[in-house]
């Protein structure tokens, strides 16, 4: 008897599946059974999607947790939610309450646009990415 999935190899296993449709039986070869079991476990225990990275330095959250250090100032925006709880546990608040340097608003704007640019590239929205790139270049030219 041939395998019910690949229709090539000799079926040596009988797989019974019981679900809302009733009991279904499949005759499978060893390769197809292994592939079925592999897919079953992947669905039952999905792998994490690619871990979030800082677009500037490439640091991941796992690396920050392990070392206790961010890679650059972009990391604070990228990992805002994750770092917020840690910062709150140390300082009692998530927001800075002290003095703010004069030139930070322009730097924050550039940072926001760079993050939007990396998201646009990641989503393969190249038109938006090109517009953001051009806009960032103009901002950088103005700032010196």
């Amino acid at each position: 008897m041939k395998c019910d999935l690949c229709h090539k190899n000799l079926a040596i296993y009988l797989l019974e599946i019981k679900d809302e449709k009733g009991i279904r039986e499949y005759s499978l070869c060893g390769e197809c059974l292994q592939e079925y079991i592999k897919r079953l476990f992947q669905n039952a225990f999905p792998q994490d999607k690619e871990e979030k990275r800082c677009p500037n330095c490439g640091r991941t959250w796992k690396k920050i947790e392990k070392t206790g250090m961010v890679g650059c100032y972009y990391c604070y925006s990228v990992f805002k939610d994750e770092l917020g709880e840690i910062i709150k546990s140390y300082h009692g608040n998530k927001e800075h309450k002290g003095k703010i340097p004069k030139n930070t608003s322009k730097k924050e704007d550039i940072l926001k646009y760079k993050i939007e640019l990396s998201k646009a590239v990641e989503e393969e929205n190249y038109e938006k990415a090109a517009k953001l790139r051009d806009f960032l270049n103009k901002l950088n030219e103005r700032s010196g």
Side-chain angles (χ1 to χ4, degrees):
M1 179 187 283
K2 296 281 185 184
C3 175
D4 288 336
L5 293 180
C6 71
H7 304 289
K8 296 177 187 173
N9 301 326
L10 181 64
I12 55 175
Y13 297 99
L14 179 64
L15 177 65
E16 288 185 355
I17 300 174
K18 183 178 180 181
D19 58 13
E20 64 275 352
K21 297 177 184 177
I23 296 175
R24 294 177 285 154
E25 293 183 348
Y26 297 97
S27 298
L28 302 176
C29 65
E31 292 174 23
C32 289
L33 180 65
Q34 284 180 339
E35 187 62 32
Y36 180 83
I37 291 170
K38 181 179 171 184
R39 275 193 250 137
L40 183 68
F41 275 99
Q42 285 175 344
N43 291 338
F45 306 105
Q47 299 294 317
D48 292 337
K49 292 181 181 175
E50 188 168 321
E51 190 173 4
K52 185 167 36 169
R53 293 187 171 274
C54 174
N56 188 51
C57 68
R59 190 158 293 223
T60 63
W61 177 245
K62 284 183 184 176
K63 182 85 170 185
I64 292 171
E65 278 186 312
K66 186 177 180 183
T67 63
M69 296 186 295
V70 296
C72 67
Y73 59 93
Y74 287 115
C75 289
Y76 289 102
S77 292
V78 174
F79 301 109
K80 177 180 162 184
D81 297 333
E82 294 90 341
L83 288 169
E85 294 305 314
I86 294 172
I87 291 169
K88 186 177 180 181
S89 70
Y90 282 118
H91 300 289
N93 199 338
K94 289 183 185 180
E95 296 179 25
H96 179 70
K97 298 291 182 184
K99 294 180 182 177
I100 298 175
K102 293 178 185 176
N103 296 331
T104 57
S105 63
K106 189 180 283 186
K107 288 180 183 177
E108 287 175 1
D109 289 342
I110 290 172
L111 174 61
K112 278 191 255 181
Y113 289 119
K114 284 186 176 182
I115 290 172
E116 279 187 51
L117 173 63
S118 68
K119 285 180 183 176
V121 170
E122 188 176 299
E123 294 170 354
E124 297 181 7
N125 188 347
Y126 299 116
E127 288 180 32
K128 182 178 179 182
K131 289 177 185 176
L132 287 167
R133 180 204 57 213
D134 295 341
F135 183 75
L136 280 167
N137 286 340
K138 287 180 184 176
L139 275 179
N140 287 332
E141 287 173 7
R142 284 188 222 152
S143 64

